[in-house]
């Protein structure tokens, strides 16, 4: 079996769901993989200039700390990387035709790869390139892993264009996997849907450390963008300054949306770091924060940092958004909204302890291997033991997985 994977992130970025998926797919099916790096699928804006500048500043101001990258890029004969030449014009109506000349080498590479054996197409981000490639191989099975609400990331014509591309993709593929329970935009394709939540690399995480006797640290690791709720963070920090002056609020990651006001003195912002360094930093957290705004963009988000926090035995204090809103009764999860009393909530979080047994069970249940195991029947359904093609599996037979 072979896999052509249209990724939403570059291969040489820190390991995320796409990296975990292709490695799992190879291990499960002994498959070769052609990883197609992403290209611009929206018109450029000022935010892109700010992002490049912020990344450059982070690299220059912290020579010993790197922007997150995959620490051990896989060197394997089963993996092949494909780079795509493209202009940032995809939202324009005729961009697919205009790009055909730029994409001719990539298309030839995909065609040659698929010609060598039975091939699955998996799309991690809607694009006209993915649609054109699948149209050239109509007999190949296809899957859309909708790990984000991509149209919600964009604005104006770019958002409308991405919505249309995603709609065409959903109609074209054989299966749709979603990483969140918010699936209303796929209501017309209910027979194709399967829920596979996010997870974390549980088997390679550092051990959960006992709570430190030092001053509490309320920490966040990740990108700080327009979805980050600075107002809630300031309220939280101000409450700590009154009730626990020794406590610190530690934010680690690139800041693309700066705070709208001066931050309390107990808030410190550290630059982006490697994933391994982030895990070490998390081990010093007393409470893990996920202060996201409730908006269309976050309604379909299942944050991986939740799994990492909990796998390390760290209680989670999160806003009531997306998939987190369904975890109010789960061990070690504490949700807040606009009416919450941070003073008592922060104390409750700090006192929480998870048993070694519950952490071991959480790690086992929320590993990437456990998550993707639910997809095995979908891919196995393609051929029988004699190598003859079978009808695609019916998705209604698959249970929706919840962490």
């Amino acid at each position: 079996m072979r896999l052509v994977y249209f990724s939403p992130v570059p291969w040489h970025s820190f390991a995320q769901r796409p990296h975990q998926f292709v490695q799992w797919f190879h291990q499960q099916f002994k498959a070769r993989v052609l990883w197609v790096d992403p290209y611009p699928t929206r018109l450029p804006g000022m935010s892109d200039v700010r992002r490049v500048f912020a990344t450059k500043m982070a690299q220059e101001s912290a020579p010993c700390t790197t922007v997150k990258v995959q620490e051990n890029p896989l060197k394997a004969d089963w993996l092949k990387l494909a780079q795509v030449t493209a202009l940032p014009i995809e939202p324009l109506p005729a961009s697919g035709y205009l790009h055909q000349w730029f994409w001719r080498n990539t298309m030839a590479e995909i065609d040659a790869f698929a010609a060598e054996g039975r091939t699955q197409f998996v799309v991690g981000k809607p694009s006209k390139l993915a649609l054109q490639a699948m149209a050239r191989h109509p007999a190949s099975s296809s899957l859309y892993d909708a790990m984000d609400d991509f149209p919600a990331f964009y604005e104006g014509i770019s958002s409308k264009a991405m919505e249309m591309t995603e709609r065409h993709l959903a109609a074209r593929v054989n299966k749709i996997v979603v990483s969140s329970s918010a699936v209303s935009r796929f209501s017309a394709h209910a027979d194709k849907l399967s829920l596979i939540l996010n997870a974390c690399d549980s088997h390679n995480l550092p051990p959960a450390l006992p709570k430190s006797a030092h001053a509490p640290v309320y920490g966040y690791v990740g990108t700080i963008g327009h979805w980050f709720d600075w107002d809630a963070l300031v309220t939280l920090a101000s409450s700590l300054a009154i009730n626990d002056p020794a406590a610190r609020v530690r934010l680690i990651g690139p800041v693309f949306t700066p705070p709208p006001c001066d931050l309390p003195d107990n808030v410190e912002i550290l630059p982006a770091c490697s994933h391994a360094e982030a895990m070490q930093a998390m081990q010093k957290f007393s409470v893990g924060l996920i202060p996201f705004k409730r908006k269309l963009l976050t309604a379909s988000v299942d944050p991986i940092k939740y799994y990492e926090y909990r796998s390390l035995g760290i209680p989670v204090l999160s806003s009531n958004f997306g998939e987190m809103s369904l975890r109010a009764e789960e061990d070690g999860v504490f949700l807040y909204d606009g009416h919450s009393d941070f003073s008592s909530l922060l104390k409750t979080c700090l006192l929480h302890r998870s048993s070694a047994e519950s952490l071991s069970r959480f790690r086992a249940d929320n590993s990437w291997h456990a998550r993707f195991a639910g997809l095995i029947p979908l891919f196995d359904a393609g051929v029988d033991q004699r190598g003859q093609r079978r009808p695609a599996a019916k998705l209604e037979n698959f249970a929706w997985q919840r962490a």
Side-chain angles (χ1 to χ4, degrees), residues 27-91:
Q27 293 168 358
Q28 182 65 43
F29 299 105
K30 309 302 179 188
R32 294 193 63 197
V33 177
L34 177 62
W35 173 288
V36 182
D37 261 355
Y39 64 94
T41 52
R42 63 176 171 81
L43 298 176
M46 283 302 300
S47 61
D48 300 295
V49 177
R50 289 194 296 268
R51 180 176 295 268
V52 171
F53 180 75
T55 300
K56 185 175 186 295
M57 290 296 292
Q59 290 172 325
E60 292 178 349
S61 63
C64 296
T65 308
T66 62
V67 174
K68 293 180 179 178
V69 296
Q70 189 169 332
E71 282 83 3
N72 297 304
L74 199 57
K75 304 293 185 181
D77 57 4
W78 58 264
L79 177 72
K80 187 177 183 181
L81 304 182
Q83 305 292 328
V84 181
T85 301
L87 300 173
I89 61 171
E90 179 137 316

Side-chain angles (χ1 to χ4, degrees), residues 178-194:
V178 289
S179 62
S180 165
S181 304
V183 295
S184 58
R185 71 188 195 276
F186 298 120
S187 57
H189 306 286
D191 59 327
K192 297 182 181 181
L193 283 178
S194 184

Side-chain angles (χ1 to χ4, degrees), residues 326-381:
L326 304 177
R327 297 187 169 120
E329 302 302 320
E330 294 190 11
D331 179 55
V333 176
F334 303 90
L335 303 181
Y336 69 84
D337 56 29
H339 306 289
S340 297
D341 177 7
F342 272 117
S343 178
S344 60
L345 192 55
L346 290 167
K347 291 178 182 177
T348 304
C349 292
L350 198 59
L351 293 173
H352 182 270
R353 298 292 185 273
S354 297
S355 67
E357 180 183 359
S358 67
L359 288 181
S360 177
R361 184 168 60 251
F362 185 90
R363 287 191 175 201
D365 293 344
N366 294 281
S367 69
W368 287 114
H369 182 81
R371 277 290 187 275
F372 296 141
L375 292 172
I376 293 175
L378 299 182
F379 294 114
D380 269 346

Side-chain angles (χ1 to χ4, degrees), residues 234-369:
V234 169
T235 301
L236 181 154
S238 299
S239 178
L240 280 176
I242 296 173
N243 297 287
D244 191 355
R248 309 298 298 171
V249 177
R250 185 170 298 157
L251 311 178
I252 304 174
V255 180
F256 297 122
T257 301
C261 60
D262 291 336
L263 297 176
D265 292 339
N266 59 354
V267 178
E268 57 185 25
I269 301 178
L270 302 180
C273 60
S274 69
H275 190 260
E277 290 170 320
M279 291 297 101
Q280 293 175 0
M282 282 186 198
Q283 288 181 296
K284 299 177 181 178
F285 290 177
S286 307
V287 175
L289 303 176
I290 313 180
F292 287 2
K293 295 177 180 178
R294 293 190 64 182
K295 54 193 301 187
L296 178 62
L297 175 63
T298 59
S300 58
V301 169
D302 182 28
I304 292 178
K305 57 179 56 64
Y306 153 73
Y307 299 101
E308 293 175 333
Y309 290 158
R310 291 303 301 132
S311 289
L312 293 174
I314 304 169
V316 176
L317 178 58
S318 171
S319 57
N320 187 19
F321 77 94
E323 208 64 27
M324 293 305 300
S325 66
L326 304 177
R327 297 187 169 120
E329 302 302 320
E330 294 190 11
D331 179 55
V333 176
F334 303 90
L335 303 181
Y336 69 84
D337 56 29
H339 306 289
S340 297
D341 177 7
F342 272 117
S343 178
S344 60
L345 192 55
L346 290 167
K347 291 178 182 177
T348 304
C349 292
L350 198 59
L351 293 173
H352 182 270
R353 298 292 185 273
S354 297
S355 67
E357 180 183 359
S358 67
L359 288 181
S360 177
R361 184 168 60 251
F362 185 90
R363 287 191 175 201
D365 293 344
N366 294 281
S367 69
W368 287 114
H369 182 81

